[in-house]
Structures are given as structure tokens and as C-alpha cells.
Amino acid sequence: MVVSDSQCSDTWTILRVRGPLELKCQLDSTDVPLMHKVISRTFGTLQSLVKSEACVLTVCDSPVIIWPNRGVHATPDEITPNTLCEDLQQWIQTDEQESTGKRSARKKSKKSSSVFTFVIQSIINLRLMMEATTTGPLPPPILTRTIKKSHFFSTTLPMDCVIRTNCNDTIKDACERLVEALSHQLCEMEKVILQHMKGMTLLVPEPLHFLLPEPKGLVTVVYPAGVPDSQLETQRRDLHQRFELLDDWPYFRRANAYHFPNEPYRDGYLRNPHLVLTHPTLDNGKVYLVQGIYSYHHYMQDHMDDNGWGCAYRSLQTICSWFEQQGYTERHVPTHKEIQQALVDVGDKQKSFVGSRQWIGSIEVQAVLNQLLEVTSKIMFVSQGSELASKGRELANHFLTEGTPVMIGGGVLAHTILGVAWSETTGQIRYLILDPHYTGAEDLQVITDKGWCGWKGPDFWDQTAYYNLCLPQRPKTI
Amino acid sequence: MGRGYIVEDAVEGYLSKLCEQQPGPVTGLLIGQSSTQRDFVIMATRTPQREESMAAAGSSVDKEWVTEHARQVSRMLPGGLSVLGVFIITDTDAKDTLTTLRQLVFAVENLISLEHLWVPADDDVTDCVTLHVNPKTRKTICRTFDVKDPKSMAKPADWKYQSGVCSSWSMMSCCLNVDMLVPLPTRAGPENMDTSLNEGLKVWAHHIQSGACLIDGKKLPEDTELTGGQKRNVRQTYTAQLLVTPDDLRSPDVVQQCGGSVSVRGVIHSRAYIHSNKPKARLAEKLLKRDVVSTVATRVQMLLEELQVSEEESNGSRKHKQQTEQFCLPRRIFCPVKVSGPVCVCDYQFSDEGQSEVTERLKEMLDIDAAEEDLDTRQETPSEIIKEDVAAEPTVETHEALEPKRNNYVGVAMATAAALLATAASMLYLNDV
């Protein structure tokens, strides 16, 4: 069900090929083995197609076209089978306006203890197409008409294969592996269709890529569309076993599918803005960061003017987004009203609370996480801000074991802590802060340049005020 | 500021000959290629005589017949060639003639565009030309109408004769694999194959239109000027490659009930002729793709028409006991317009027809005197039924390769087709301004 790529190198080029393949056949019998035979035969035709000379890979946003099964013939002429994969980059026309995207791709994040450090050096997208033209002369087409009451199975298979190439790989090597990957994926898709066939109901197979800890890298899994994660637990368990992964992180939930850097998110929120920052280096210090993906929630988003009172709500939204994106919940990030309603529901607030502009604190954040997401949280209390400097170990441990964003409230402000840089020997400490008080647009450059997401020192905190921290605990499930 | 038509010398001679031939109005079609700057007319063909003389010869213009002729001729024109307009040779008053011509040109264009499976492009020329020749004075009046605008008024246009208009035109061609499979609806019998096939053809045509086109192995930017055709009498040919991909969208109904299926599988030869006045890659791609779509659609249509006729004749006595039947689409044969020129027209030959039927049709429809040796039959080989493929189908009980018996008298076939279209044609006139 899975293809893994275990090459390891400092600079890789990811080649991703996508394209629809039509699957059509007439099922003229309801006898299951016969139906299987027809479907398998149709898959056989697709297998031959992918290995035939008609199979074409076009490099997106470029004039490059490759025929992988025709001696790796390519156009333009300068490209030969021995061209290096990474050299294909020069042919791709990049969009000028994606400067922020390019910038983040170039900045290398320093090695940290987070297992999810992964920077794609470059990704080349390819499109799978078929050449319809051929050599003639040949006889004209034949029309075949079959009349029989039966069923017609018609769908498009969303092929999506990924391979990782190193600096020495030529396109000839890559093509062999890509065709192999496509062929293998067709096999997997056939299995999924046949496995999940119930009478005349057939499900469409859907490939998803998952990022596993190094050296395993990107792994592709074919899931049946429409079957929720809750019903696929056995499959996930198998995968965890196969890849020798602990059962404490939902690596293979759909929500955790790897999101490629060049793909925009439909909801418009920024994801993980901290990734473009350069992390501080402290003597004997290490950086401990949030694991996984969150989206940045702040003042004035969603046409909600909460300027001056909504900071804790926004921090809570950031935390909820983390649980949604790691697949722990299917519940969308709650609105201010929904947060307030949750507090009324648990009896913490009166009905009049809903629709008001009252502040909330860490205790309320803990209550809402429990009520809406069934997530428990620990509360950490410091009687004055200066004490936060001594909480390095606890925070480091939190990011190591739980990896969730932390909400901190005190004085008159609420913030989100995304990580710490801490030195055990010198006691130096820095906090990676995501500030919900930002009122501007989703501009990564502004947000990072102006420090709305940035590293702060211990003097960032009000030294005399008391602070409560809400540390959400990650459910230990897959 | 009107359009300018550059017309092949031979057309002048042809029209002159028609002037001398018979009394009464002579109508016909003008064939060529339009571009944004200039229009080229490379041949003309008179409306053939109708077998049953429903209209007294020479008295009035038979509009339905003219449009039906145009529809048939349109099927015989490869990419790049189309019916540009209508001519009439008559000494009737210019104003009345113009009204007649206007009606004809709108009806012709509307009927022909019904058969088009492609989406019109923004840069398509929508003007059609009308030519009124006075047989006594040989004076010609040339006007154009914008057929996209029902209220369009006549605009004057230039009509200029020149020799060797298409002598340096280039040709782009390819052989293309067709592989279509469509379900048949549960309720109906074989007669609903038409609708299902047309639906399938539309989807397939969309894939072709949105596919990538390589010219001589390269993907050229749209505005690249195609060289070649600069030197006179140097024939430039290009080979095209089409890369296609199905749509990404998936319908939620993965499995549906059906009454069977129809497939069209095989290879066709497609070509398009491109004028030599600084043509762009975009034009060549557009013309070729349209030819790909129309040659398949035309052949399927012709086969369906034949099947309908043969089923009517057998009066349904042959009940469809056979589950699977195979039919050959007709084979494409080319014939040069002029012995020396590069431009060819084409015809479709069913497997039970000889070359004489082809030459007869070329004479009847396009008024071309071709000998059998002039025909280019090398682009597609004769049809054959491959028995192995049919035997591999587990559901087939018996199979029969049916070769529809094509009527040799084109007139009769045309009458049948015209009868079917009579309703459509008359509706067009009802809408005419």
C-alpha cells in the first residue's frame, strides 16, 4: 500500500508527477470474481499505457517534455537522458511575486531536536499526459457496440507519485523510478478498489504523501476516498508496524498529509511562519520547537474586530488549528462565539457572556480545549514574570514530548509560545512568540520582519505581573 | 475598410463557365481560408442538380438544397478550408439578390456550425462573403455579413483575382489514436447510440482542444511565426504531436446502470492547411485540432446515418440478437484541388465502396474532375475488422461484422438526409430577419 524512498542526502530534488488517468469499463455481471477480472484487466491496460511510448511527462511551467519510455527522449534538444535532475530547475519559469515563497525555501532551518526538520531544497512538478498521436498509416477506427443491461464503471484515478533524487541523479534514473512509481501506484489503487468493493459501490482511490522521520522521508499511501480516518485504523496500525513507528503520533491520518511548499492553502491563513526565522544560538543551547503545523490566528481576521480584547481567543484558535491539522480532531477552528458558548456550556460563564467582549485567560483556554476537542491541558503558574526565565527545562520538555503551542496569559496580554531556545549550562533562554495582537494582512514578510512572530528575550515579559500558561497535552493515539 | 478577398484565378474561369451554361440562377459555394488580415478563396463549386426536380429548374433558388450541399461539402474539407460564403449567378436585381444571398449565407453558417464540436475562438473570423455575378455583364458585387450578428448589414468587400494563391501554403498533419468508451442508457435500444456518442465526442473534443500541441517535436510559443511558405512552390509540411490528459474533475457517480456501451478505437489521419501570409503557431494548432475533432465526428455521424438507413430498410426484422457488433468507420481519401497545388480536399470511403464512388462524389459535390490515379489513398489503409479483439470479450455470444451498404446514388442519400434536416432548415428560416 506504500512506497518509501530511503535515499538520504544533503540536497535533494523532489520530483512529483501528477495527472489523471481514466478508468472505464463495462461490468456486465454482478458476479464478484468476474467483476474483479474486468477491473483487473482494465488496470492492466493502464499499466501498459504508463509503460508505453505514449506516456509523457511534462515539467510544469516549462517547455520541457520527456518521453520516459522512448529512450528518455526530451524536448528542448538541450535536454538529454544524462541531464541532472536538479538542472531541470533552470528551465522552470518562476513567478516573480512568489518571492516570499522562494525566500523561505532557501533559508535552511538549523538542526533542532524536532524530528520534523525538513526543508525541501527544490521541488519539480511534472504532469502525466498521454501522446495521442502515433505513426501511420493505419486503418480507420472501429466502432463496437455492445447491448446488454449492465453497469458502467467510470472514474479518473488521481495519480500522484513522488521520488527524491540526489545531486547525482540524471533524468534517466528519475524516469525509470517515476514510471516504476506510477506502475506501483496503479497496483495499490487496484487493491484498494477491489478491497473496498461492496456490491455495486466502488470507491475511488486517493494517494496521499506523509512525511516520516528521517531517513524514511516522504511515503505515499493510497486511501479509499470517502472512508473516514476512524474506519482506517487497522491500515494505519499496519503502516506503523511496517515503518517501525511508535503509536504516539498520528503520522498517517489524512490531516497529516504532507503539504508541499508551492501549494497554497485554500483558507488563506499562514502556516508555520516561524519556519523562515533564523533561530538563536546560545552557548550549549538547543532549540525546542512546536511540532507539526498550526495556522496563525490574530486580531481582525475573519471580519471579526476583536482589537483590544480577543488576544487569548486568537491564541486558543492557533492551538485548535494545531489539533485540527495534525488530525486529532475534525472540528474546525472555533469562532469567538463558539468559544464563549463552550464556556457557557461547561457552566463557567453566564449566558450573557456569548457575544460580549470579555477577556479570557489560561483557565478558560483549558476548559474550552477540553469541552470542544477533548484535549486536556496542564496549567503552569508563575507569580512574577521574572520567574519565566527559570522555566526553560519545563518548556523544553513540553515541546519535546507534547510539541503543542502554549498559550500564556498575564498582565493584560495573551501570547502563544511556539518554542524555546535554552541552554542547560548557562541558563540563557529565548522564547519563540507568536503575537495575536497583529492587525494586518497575512504578509509573511511583515509578520517576521516586525517581530509579530519572533524570538524574544526574558525581558519581553512584565517582570512583576503573574502569568498562567496553558500547556495542551497531545492525545496518545494514531 | 471592408474585408479583402484574394481569389484564385481558376475561380474566375469557373464562374465564367457557369455564366455561359444555363439560364436561371446558379448558386454555389466559395471555399477557402479566412484570417484576421486577409481572406483567401481557393475554389468554388456550384450547387448540384437535385434528383427529384422539386423546384422547376432555373426558376428560383432552393435554399434548403444549398444549405444541405454546404453541409456535405463542409465534411469534405480538411482543416484550414471552410465554406466562406455563397455565390449566385443571376441577372435579377441586385437588391433582391442581396436579400437572397443574405438568407443563404446565414442559413449555411448556422447549419455548418451545428455540427462543430469545438468552442469558437475569440480570434475566429465571423464574416461570410456573398458574391453576385451578373451573367451578361460579368460584373461582380461582393459583400460580407457578420454571421454572429443577426442584424448585420452588408459591408462592401474587395474581390481580387490572383494566380497561385495557395501554391505556397503549408500543411500540418498527424495520425491520431482515438480511444473512446461511452455507456448506453438503460431504457432505450440501439437508436440512442447517437446521443450517447455525441456526448462522448463532446468530452473527447474538449480533451483534444485543451491538449498540448508540438510542431515538429517542439512546443512553440503561440505567437511564433511559422517559416516556410516564404519561397513560392516550396512545400512546407509540419508534423504535429498532440498530448492530452483527461479532466481532473471527478463526478461522484462512479458506477451507473447502463444498457450497454459503445467504443470507438483506432487511428485517423488529420491535416490542416495554413496560408502563407506570416501564419502563427497558434493558428496552425487551432486548425489542426479542429480537423482532428471534425474528421472523427464526421465519420461517426456518417456511420450513424448509414446504420439508420439500413435499419429502416430492414424494418427491424433483424432484431438485435447479437450482443456485440462491430462497424468500420469510413476511410479518409484525399484529392488535390489542382494538379499542381498542395491543397487537397477529402472524402470518406466505406469498405464496400470502390474508388469510382469517391470520384463520383468529388464531381457531384465539389465539381472536381478527378481520375482514380489522382486520389491519395496512402494516408489510411483499408478498413479491417480484427477478429481477435472481439473474441477476447467474454460477454460476446456471436459477433457479426456489419458493413453498411452505402447507397451509390448520392442524390438519394442526400434526399434522405435533407428530409431529416428539413425541419431544422425551416426553423432556421423562421428565425431569419
Side-chain angles (χ1 to χ4, degrees), chain B residues 3 5 7 15 28-30 41 83-89 94-108 127-133 139-147 152-159:
Chain B
R3 301 200 71 84
Y5 287 84
V7 188
L15 294 173
L29 306 171
L30 298 163
V41 176
V83 172
L84 293 184
V86 174
F87 70 80
I88 188 166
I89 300 174
K95 199 151 166 279
D96 292 336
T97 310
L98 192 61
T99 317
T100 310
L101 282 171
R102 187 183 193 284
Q103 287 179 336
L104 285 174
V105 118
F106 269 86
V108 159
D127 289 292
C128 282
V129 64
T130 62
L131 191 74
H132 174 193
V133 182
K139 208 173 112 186
T140 62
I141 303 173
C142 178
R143 297 280 181 271
T144 59
F145 293 93
D146 182 354
V147 286
S152 163
M153 302 308 297
K155 288 192 285 272
D158 284 331
W159 186 263

Side-chain angles (χ1 to χ4, degrees), chain B residues 133-413:
Chain B
V133 182
N134 187 307
K136 297 197 185 74
T137 65
R138 302 295 166 89
K139 208 173 112 186
T140 62
I141 303 173
C142 178
R143 297 280 181 271
T144 59
F145 293 93
D146 182 354
V147 286
K148 284 286 159 289
D149 175 11
K151 294 198 174 65
S152 163
M153 302 308 297
K155 288 192 285 272
D158 284 331
W159 186 263
K160 229 174 15 179
Y161 289 109
Q162 200 177 298
S163 71
V165 171
C166 57
S167 57
S168 35
W169 280 19
S170 41
M171 177 184 88
M172 191 152 87
S173 67
C174 68
C175 282
L176 188 124
N177 209 351
V178 181
D179 189 352
M180 269 196 286
L181 181 64
V182 290
L184 289 172
T186 36
R187 209 73 65 87
E191 55 278 8
N192 269 39
M193 186 164 69
D194 298 29
T195 335
S196 308
L197 266 176
N198 278 324
E199 284 307 310
L201 279 169
K202 280 200 196 116
V203 171
W204 172 80
H206 174 73
H207 292 165
I208 296 286
Q209 272 206 289
S210 36
C213 177
L214 305 179
I215 299 179
D216 280 348
K218 287 189 176 49
K219 178 100 182 72
L220 299 173
E222 286 194 331
D223 288 323
T224 316
E225 265 180 35
L226 295 177
T227 53
Q230 308 287 23
K231 301 195 192 111
R232 279 202 149 213
N233 298 322
V234 171
R235 309 265 174 88
Q236 185 73 22
T237 55
Y238 301 97
T239 307
Q241 285 166 284
L242 287 180
L243 311 177
V244 292
T245 183
D247 298 319
D248 276 319
L249 304 166
R250 270 176 282 152
S251 82
D253 302 316
V254 172
V255 179
Q256 52 178 185
Q257 286 196 321
C258 69
S261 66
V262 181
S263 74
V264 178
R265 293 200 171 105
V267 177
I268 52 108
H269 171 94
S270 167
R271 61 169 65 167
Y273 294 104
I274 307 133
H275 66 78
S276 46
N277 187 29
K278 301 201 188 138
K280 299 226 166 106
R282 186 181 352 146
L283 175 69
E285 179 180 334
K286 177 173 84 171
L287 296 175
L288 184 72
K289 282 179 175 175
R290 286 182 177 179
D291 183 73
V292 165
V293 170
S294 69
T295 185
V296 174
T298 299
R299 297 185 220 206
V300 168
Q301 201 55 40
M302 289 170 84
L303 178 62
L304 292 176
E305 285 165 9
E306 281 303 302
L307 287 180
Q308 190 142 25
V309 169
S310 68
E311 271 157 31
E312 277 173 15
E313 281 177 355
S314 65
N315 282 332
S317 58
R318 186 176 50 78
K319 298 242 161 36
H320 296 276
K321 296 183 213 124
Q322 291 81 14
Q323 286 196 327
T324 298
E325 298 166 291
Q326 288 198 320
F327 308 97
C328 303
L329 259 51
R331 167 193 181 200
R332 197 176 201 185
I333 292 182
F334 293 90
C335 176
V337 170
K338 267 195 324 195
V339 177
S340 57
V343 177
C344 295
V345 291
C346 68
D347 188 33
Y348 295 101
Q349 179 194 39
F350 278 96
S351 35
D352 60 341
E353 294 182 310
Q355 293 195 353
S356 56
E357 277 106 322
V358 175
T359 51
E360 272 170 30
R361 275 195 293 273
L362 286 169
K363 177 68 188 165
E364 168 120 18
M365 292 292 124
L366 293 166
D367 212 358
I368 289 178
D369 297 301
E372 286 180 26
E373 313 75 83
D374 301 328
L375 300 177
D376 177 5
T377 57
R378 294 162 306 144
Q379 306 305 329
E380 288 180 8
T381 56
S383 337
E384 38 183 83
I385 298 276
I386 305 157
K387 300 211 169 178
E388 291 89 332
D389 278 1
V390 179
E393 295 286 341
T395 58
V396 173
E397 291 152 2
T398 57
H399 68 268
E400 187 179 287
L402 290 173
E403 294 180 348
K405 308 233 178 300
R406 187 132 184 239
N407 293 305
N408 287 332
Y409 297 98
V410 181
V412 177

Side-chain angles (χ1 to χ4, degrees), chain A residues 48 382 418:
Chain A
S48 317
V382 291
L418 296 175

